Amino acid sequence: MKRLIQKLSVIFVIALLAACKPEIGTNNTAAEPLSVVEQKNAQEWEDHREYVTENNYVIREGNSGKPAHFIYKAQEWPREDLNDKSSYDLPRVMFRWNNMRYDIMYGAQTEEQRYEARDKIWSIKTDGTDLRLVTDDFNGSVRVMRRSPDNRYLAYAYGHSDGMFKILFDLKTQTSTVLGQSRGKDMFLWAEDSSYVYFADNRSYWKYDIATQKKEEVDIHFSNHSVIYQGKRYVVSDYGVVVYDESKNERLYSVGVESSDPEELERFLSDHDYRQRFSFLKRSISPTGRYAWAESQDYRFLIDTHTKTFKQETIIPRTPGKFRFFELISLDAKYVRNGAGLVFLFKLNDEHELITDDYIRWGQIGTGQSATDSALYNAFANNGDFVKEVIHE
């Protein structure tokens, strides 16, 4: 009897284990809950928005397919990361953008609203992808920004009620150094190897050495549209480009507005009002200094500093022209890009002129009041081309 009871007990245990054993193919693991971003993207949005973070999203434009960015919480957005190689496979553009706006008519603003409405410095690839927040480590209106050739340092100027500050921001350490804080010209120019930066402060020009962290006053000619490349300093001035030997600070030659007609040249030199028709109001320069562009009240110019020649066109209202939209010039002047909010991207022909039916136009931002002051950097990536594919071929 005892043996029978033991045998029945063993049978009962085996049956119990069999009953508890899950069936083959059954998944007992509970489903992972969706993140807030995944939950939002699972919804059907009328504008087909795609959330990138909890409060920020992009909308793809129908014609171009480029993302328009709607940023309501800037600190949620990814920051530029020097260790992320995927961000540097194309040239990049920095710009200032106050991603949110507030209106004093609607009452007092919170500190959060004031932060979102302040200027910040952003960056993006030249093809309109990979938007990143560069720095928000200031409170004022950005005036000028220039990135070092190695991408690590950002020199910028911003205005505040306390003065005009010139700042050096280190993306690697996320620290800022005050270079100067006097009113006056806002200008920066980087050394080709990123070892020093020139800047203007209190009507004087200074050279700041990155390694020693010391500055010294210098007597040189430069502007915000200047490049140091292969030992030469190319400076776009009011009527042309002046080229210097950088190490010796000696003027080598200049290329600019001129005329073979003696009477016209005499008029240019003697008649101030006539000369002002040629004075550069807008200007830009290519990454190596070879090509410079300028626009006056009546004309546009494209200067080749190697062949020492320039092309000129008369501005005709409401007509694109051959040399319009040259705010940023690519390496070897194959592409030009214009705008930080509403962007125009053109591929140029072999004569470095606009192909008016070969371009992309898109709205890069969807929130805030304005995005301005584009500045090109990482300019040699992708052989300098602003896109990885041929535009509208």
Side-chain angles (χ1 to χ4, degrees):
M1 186 69 177
K2 183 177 180 181
R3 183 177 295 177
L4 178 61
I5 292 173
Q6 289 176 338
K7 190 173 183 180
L8 289 174
S9 298
V10 171
I11 294 173
F12 176 77
V13 171
I14 293 173
L16 182 62
L17 291 173
C20 295
K21 184 179 180 180
E23 295 182 13
I24 296 175
T26 302
N27 185 2
N28 265 13
T29 304
E32 291 289 333
L34 294 177
S35 67
V36 174
V37 172
E38 290 172 330
Q39 292 177 42
K40 289 189 172 185
N41 285 332
Q43 299 181 45
E44 292 291 332
W45 299 98
E46 186 176 349
D47 54 11
H48 305 291
R49 67 182 61 174
E50 177 185 344
Y51 277 85
V52 179
T53 67
E54 181 177 351
N55 296 285
N56 307 310
Y57 58 86
V58 299
I59 295 176
R60 301 281 172 176
E61 291 199 352
N63 293 331
S64 68
K66 301 293 185 183
H69 300 85
F70 293 75
I71 309 297
Y72 297 95
K73 302 287 185 181
Q75 292 185 337
E76 285 183 5
W77 196 261
R79 291 184 179 252
E80 187 172 336
D81 181 359
L82 293 172
N83 295 316
D84 186 351
K85 294 182 179 179
S86 66
S87 287
Y88 301 98
D89 60 352
L90 279 173
R92 295 185 66 89
V93 179
M94 292 184 301
F95 58 97
R96 58 145 297 280
W97 176 25
N98 48 347
N99 56 284
M100 281 286 288
R101 64 178 297 167
Y102 59 79
D103 194 322
I104 199 168
M105 292 171 57
Y106 299 112
Q109 296 80 40
T110 65
E111 179 56 36
E112 182 180 4
Q113 287 174 320
R114 286 191 288 270
Y115 164 77
E116 298 297 344
R118 294 204 309 253
D119 272 8
K120 304 166 197 68
I121 297 176
W122 302 78
S123 72
I124 198 165
K125 291 182 181 180
T126 44
D127 70 349
T129 62
D130 194 47
L131 176 72
R132 299 294 182 113
L133 177 60
V134 180
T135 182
D136 54 0
D137 189 26
F138 61 95
N139 182 8
S141 177
V142 177
R143 302 286 293 272
V144 177
M145 65 202 88
R146 293 293 183 269
R147 186 71 70 91
S148 61
D150 65 2
N151 297 334
R152 176 173 173 174
Y153 299 97
L154 164 64
Y156 69 97
Y158 75 91
H160 188 268
S161 58
D162 294 334
M164 181 62 64
F165 294 86
K166 284 78 175 180
I167 304 295
L168 181 71
F169 178 68
D170 185 339
L171 275 77
K172 183 177 180 179
T173 63
Q174 294 291 299
T175 57
S176 297
T177 300
V178 178
L179 299 177
Q181 56 186 76
S182 298
R183 298 188 182 277
K185 295 181 180 180
D186 308 314
M187 299 194 306
F188 299 100
L189 174 61
W190 279 98
E192 185 178 359
D193 62 358
S194 305
S195 62
Y196 59 88
V197 60
Y198 294 124
F199 68 97
D201 190 54
N202 195 25
R203 299 183 180 180
S204 299
Y205 301 117
W206 302 83
K207 178 181 178 181
Y208 180 84
D209 186 277
I210 297 298
T212 65
Q213 300 182 359
K214 295 181 179 180
K215 66 180 182 180
E216 61 175 329
E217 191 170 0
V218 292
D219 181 16
I220 69 164
H221 179 213
F222 71 100
S223 71
N224 278 319
H225 306 285
S226 304
V227 170
I228 298 174
Y229 184 70
Q230 293 186 344
K232 294 185 176 65
R233 185 188 337 133
Y234 299 83
V235 183
V236 185
S237 57
D238 290 340
Y239 297 98
V241 181
V242 185
V243 183
Y244 296 85
D245 181 311
E246 171 62 8
S247 63
K248 298 178 180 179
N249 192 27
E250 293 179 356
R251 177 175 174 145
L252 299 176
Y253 63 90
S254 62
V255 187
V257 178
E258 58 185 21
S259 175
S260 58
D261 184 336
E263 292 184 4
E264 186 173 348
L265 180 60
E266 175 61 29
R267 184 181 180 189
F268 176 85
L269 296 174
S270 61
D271 188 333
H272 175 268
D273 291 338
Y274 180 72
R275 187 166 60 251
Q276 286 301 107
R277 295 172 57 187
F278 297 87
S279 180
F280 298 166
L281 302 176
K282 299 178 181 178
R283 55 193 92 178
S284 64
I285 191 167
S286 68
T288 64
R290 174 165 185 176
Y291 299 99
W293 170 86
E295 183 177 282
S296 69
Q297 66 180 32
D298 292 331
Y299 306 102
R300 298 188 189 100
F301 308 91
L302 184 65
I303 300 170
D304 186 331
T305 61
H306 287 194
T307 61
K308 302 180 183 180
T309 58
F310 74 96
K311 299 178 181 179
Q312 175 179 323
E313 74 173 0
T314 301
I315 296 175
I316 302 174
R318 296 178 296 279
T319 302
K322 297 181 294 185
F323 303 120
R324 192 180 178 187
F325 301 120
F326 276 55
E327 181 182 22
L328 301 178
I329 307 174
S330 76
L331 187 70
D332 299 327
K334 293 181 180 179
Y335 293 86
V336 291
R337 191 181 191 274
N338 191 88
L342 178 61
V343 177
F344 290 84
L345 178 61
F346 284 84
K347 184 180 181 183
L348 305 182
N349 63 21
D350 293 340
E351 301 299 319
H352 309 298
E353 301 169 345
L354 292 183
I355 305 174
T356 55
D357 60 350
D358 194 1
Y359 71 95
I360 298 176
R361 173 184 180 272
W362 74 92
Q364 191 165 263
I365 63 168
T367 51
Q369 291 175 283
S370 62
T372 59
D373 300 328
S374 294
L376 183 68
Y377 69 104
N378 196 44
F380 291 83
N382 194 41
N383 296 317
D385 293 345
F386 284 178
V387 294
K388 288 189 175 181
E389 68 282 346
V390 178
I391 304 175
H392 294 323
E393 186 173 66

